[in-house]
Amino acid sequence: MAVVGIPILEDLYPVTMDMWPLEAKEFNRIWQFYENLKQGRFTTTKCKDCGFVAYPPRVICPECYSENLEYIDLPTKGKIIVFSEEVKGVPLGFESPLIHAVIDLGVPPVRRLLSRIVNCPAGVLKRGDEVQLAVFPVPSIPIEKGKAGTVMADRVFFAFEPVKK
Amino acid sequence: MSRKAVILAGGQCKWGVREAHIVDLFQEAAKACLDDIPTLKPKDIDGLIVATSYAGRCSFQVNTAPVVAERCGLKPTSICTRCDTLCAGGSTGIILAKGLVEAGAADIVMVAGGEKLYTPQKWEVFYSELASVDHDWDGAQGMGLPPPFFALTAQEHMLHYGTKKEHLAAVSVANYNYAADNPVAQMQKKLTLEEAMNAPIVVPPLTLYDCCPITDGAAACIITTDEIARKFTDRPLVYIRGTAQVCLNSVSANFPGEHLADWKHTRIAAQKAYERAKVTPNDIKVAQTHDCFSISEVIEVEELGFCKKGEGGEFCASKQIEIGGKVPVNTDGGLLAVGHPFGATGIRQAIEILKQLQGRARHQVKDADIGLTHNLSGANAEHTILIYGREPVK
Ligand SMILES: [Zn+2]
């Protein structure tokens, strides 16, 4: 696809314009978080030495600087503390209504997680409503692999959605 | 005698939607700055700190300091660098310049901040905001543009402290009215409470005048020592008495307060800055706080200690932030009305405090001898405070 004004970028991927994370193993040492998401798991890293649970996941423990970490599951259901709804003027990349909420997943460090709420029309959400993890695909990206050519790396991302009653 | 940092002069170009290149804006700001101190020449300046965050996103230019130095006719021999702390970039530059001149590593430093945010197609600046917050976690959740985050903040303030929309509107009215006669402000019009209350919705409870605009602009100031400053000016000297910059989190999930309207990091920054400046909140005669949103100013006057926690709405609505009030705030119009070219904002604030403490501000606070500037930056991830005074810390 052509890029208006910059024809040389036709069919090229500009990483500095990508709204989603570079999740692939080749570019991210917390790729396991995204792999777990693909299985419907919401995870983060726990330090095997001091027990500290960090969010988002790390490659070192921010408390004791140990590299001895493991992935643990976080709850995938929680309750809405407060939320905001943007109907007009939603920025490029997101659909109206753009809903955000502070969610209590019940355990630290995700007692006050800010997340987008998807699969939900405007005007129906209430404080205290139950929400659950929603994983969705986002565009794959090309990664140059030398002689093997370019491979497409699949990606997912997450938000939360109302629990259907 | 130890070297003590002062702000000698400053100026800003016209802010708004500018038909100009980012380097044009820096040149205009450098000229406005030296127009404020005609005895100082470009060749006298031995240091340059450039504060910009979107150079590299909305203009294709990283390593901005040499570009700005060359275009502005500066040939620094002590320091020539860029700093990027988004909305606090200008203030950060001043803190760094203070350290350099007091240490003797530089003598006369220009701190210049600026952004060119309006692009040929407007989507790009909004889209680039995904990089203003923690990109992979908050940006990808659609938190790049800040209104949703501050709408949640306002809701929690309303929930915990009973703050009302009228309180938020009072901040917008005060700041717009301060800017109405400011020739370099983006918004130069008076605003009534009724207009503010009936403005178009952005993200409830925030409406149009609760949010600062997107702004092109630049500002520059000169930081030097008191001894050097006396060679160039007869005006009262304005010392940088104490500073603090506090960062406790980046991702919003790790917000340090009990809720989004509880700004623990602001309180820590204020305490540090007051200690270093050897003053208390009661000593502050005028303040320029980070009113990126009306709710921000409401919370800032609380966390800076100008009123009790939870009473910021009433403090603002009872005109305590206006001339004659307890602490006049954002006396040039603030971010809401002067605009907010991120790296330039802290310098704009410093210039207004300089003028207030020298008795030459447009909306002069009587007998202003101690002033404060404050910035928050990112998704409320960092707080930066500087305290200025007519006397040095003894
Ligand atoms: Zn540890």
Side-chain angles (χ1 to χ4, degrees):
Chain A
M1 214 173 62
V3 176
V4 182
I6 317 173
I8 52 164
L9 288 184
E10 175 146 13
D11 290 330
L12 298 178
Y13 164 72
V15 69
T16 52
M17 283 308 226
D18 194 344
M19 60 187 276
W20 306 109
L22 269 184
E23 301 175 358
K25 209 171 181 174
E26 292 87 341
F27 290 94
N28 204 327
R29 286 188 56 205
I30 62 155
W31 57 271
Q32 187 70 48
F33 171 84
Y34 300 104
E35 284 303 309
N36 292 341
L37 264 190
K38 288 177 184 168
Q39 316 303 321
R41 293 171 59 201
F42 188 49
T43 57
T44 196
T45 49
K46 179 180 181 179
C47 177
K48 285 190 186 173
D49 289 330
C50 79
F52 187 81
V53 179
Y55 178 86
R58 313 292 161 96
V59 299
I60 62 165
C61 169
E63 281 295 304
C64 75
Y65 271 32
S66 166
E67 292 176 298
N68 192 14
L69 310 180
E70 62 180 341
Y71 277 82
I72 60 160
D73 283 273
L74 293 168
T76 55
K77 278 189 181 170
K79 283 197 163 64
I80 289 188
I81 300 172
V82 282
F83 65 95
S84 68
E85 295 184 338
E86 185 170 16
V87 177
K88 279 194 211 164
V90 170
L92 183 67
F94 299 95
E95 286 165 9
S96 176
L98 177 57
I99 304 178
H100 287 101
V102 181
I103 301 167
D104 183 0
L105 289 182
V107 295
V110 284
R111 293 300 307 270
R112 292 183 56 86
L113 181 73
L114 262 82
S115 174
R116 192 157 65 99
I117 304 295
V118 295
N119 305 324
C120 180
V124 304
L125 222 51
K126 296 185 307 298
R127 282 205 283 271
D129 277 0
E130 205 178 18
V131 290
Q132 64 191 10
L133 183 71
V135 178
F136 48 86
V138 298
S140 305
I141 58 163
I143 299 177
E144 292 174 351
K145 303 282 274 183
K147 282 186 190 138
T150 296
V151 298
M152 294 304 288
D154 293 337
R155 294 188 294 180
V156 295
F157 203 67
F158 71 98
F160 282 75
E161 63 185 0
V163 174
K164 296 274 184 305
K165 282 173 194 131
Chain B
M1 208 180 81
S2 67
R3 292 164 64 102
K4 291 196 160 53
V6 299
I7 175 168
L8 175 62
Q12 73 171 81
C13 67
K14 171 77 177 92
W15 288 10
V17 185
R18 289 296 314 273
E19 295 179 342
H21 191 288
I22 187 169
V23 299
D24 300 335
L25 299 175
F26 273 105
Q27 289 169 70
E28 290 180 18
K31 177 175 168 49
C33 177
L34 291 207
D35 282 352
D36 193 45
I37 181 86
T39 49
L40 186 78
K41 304 297 173 200
K43 64 172 173 46
D44 299 319
I45 295 167
D46 69 312
L48 174 68
I49 296 174
V50 172
T52 181
S53 285
Y54 273 48
R57 283 237 54 108
C58 288
S59 48
F60 207 149
Q61 186 65 64
V62 297
N63 196 20
T64 327
V67 183
V68 173
E70 185 197 87
R71 300 301 196 281
C72 294
L74 304 180
K75 295 187 167 59
T77 52
S78 298
I79 186 79
C80 182
T81 190
R82 166 179 176 169
C83 70
D84 164 18
T85 42
L86 201 68
C87 321
S91 295
T92 307
I94 295 172
I95 294 174
L96 296 173
K98 174 187 191 287
L100 289 166
V101 300
E102 290 187 347
D107 288 323
I108 302 177
V109 178
M110 176 181 281
V111 183
E115 312 285 350
K116 172 60 191 166
L117 297 177
Y118 286 93
T119 42
Q121 294 183 332
K122 280 186 192 160
W123 64 269
E124 193 168 352
V125 62
F126 298 122
Y127 193 80
S128 291
E129 297 251 9
L130 294 169
S132 285
V133 294
D134 205 298
H135 174 277
D136 287 8
W137 302 92
D138 288 334
Q141 291 289 356
M143 299 281 291
L145 282 167
F149 183 87
F150 285 91
L152 292 168
T153 303
Q155 283 188 38
E156 292 213 289
H157 204 272
M158 289 169 160
L159 212 57
H160 289 276
Y161 307 111
T163 299
K164 299 183 178 71
K165 174 68 181 168
E166 287 84 343
H167 295 140
L168 306 185
V171 173
S172 313
V173 169
N175 295 2
Y176 266 75
N177 289 347
Y178 276 134
D181 59 355
N182 181 348
V184 290
Q186 183 165 5
M187 306 295 179
Q188 290 172 47
K189 60 163 192 177
K190 295 240 178 200
L191 184 69
T192 65
L193 192 62
E194 198 182 8
E195 284 171 313
M197 289 298 292
N198 296 314
I201 288 172
V202 178
V203 184
L206 303 178
T207 56
L208 184 64
Y209 300 109
D210 291 309
C211 313
C212 75
I214 302 275
T215 309
D216 297 333
C221 67
I222 302 292
I223 307 299
T224 185
T225 68
D226 53 354
E227 207 178 305
I228 297 169
R230 282 198 189 95
K231 295 177 194 161
F232 290 96
T233 188
D234 297 326
R235 286 174 175 156
L237 295 185
V238 174
Y239 291 85
I240 306 165
R241 290 180 62 105
T243 70
Q245 185 164 61
V246 171
C247 175
L248 303 181
N249 72 302
S250 170
V251 174
S252 58
N254 296 320
F255 189 77
E258 293 291 313
H259 47 74
L260 291 176
D262 174 35
W263 294 8
K264 181 182 173 185
H265 36 359
T266 322
R267 289 195 294 278
I268 296 171
Q271 192 190 341
K272 285 271 178 200
Y274 288 137
E275 276 171 21
R276 288 176 179 144
K278 294 189 183 171
V279 298
T280 70
N282 285 328
D283 296 316
I284 305 298
K285 303 284 173 43
V286 55
Q288 311 299 311
T289 75
H290 202 87
D291 56 327
C292 48
F293 293 87
S294 53
I295 182 63
S296 312
E297 187 166 323
V298 165
I299 299 173
E300 286 151 8
V301 295
E302 299 171 353
E303 306 294 14
L304 293 169
F306 302 157
C307 65
K308 284 196 194 125
K309 183 66 202 170
E311 294 178 1
E314 196 50 44
F315 185 84
C316 294
S318 64
K319 304 194 183 298
Q320 300 303 319
I321 55 170
E322 296 173 34
I323 297 294
K326 189 179 174 210
V327 187
V329 178
N330 290 319
T331 42
D332 64 347
L335 286 71
L336 284 175
V338 186
H340 183 29
F342 314 121
T345 283
I347 299 164
R348 186 218 99 230
Q349 296 174 322
I351 294 167
E352 175 63 11
I353 293 295
L354 167 71
K355 289 179 176 171
Q356 288 284 356
L357 269 51
Q358 290 183 334
R360 58 184 179 107
R362 191 170 284 103
H363 299 277
Q364 182 64 45
V365 176
K366 199 165 167 275
D367 301 327
D369 58 350
I370 305 273
L372 174 150
T373 69
H374 159 269
N375 301 108
L376 73 84
S377 38
N380 204 344
E382 197 166 8
H383 285 268
T384 306
I385 296 174
L386 289 90
I387 296 171
Y388 297 83
R390 289 272 296 264
E391 300 289 332
V393 176
K394 295 207 174 78

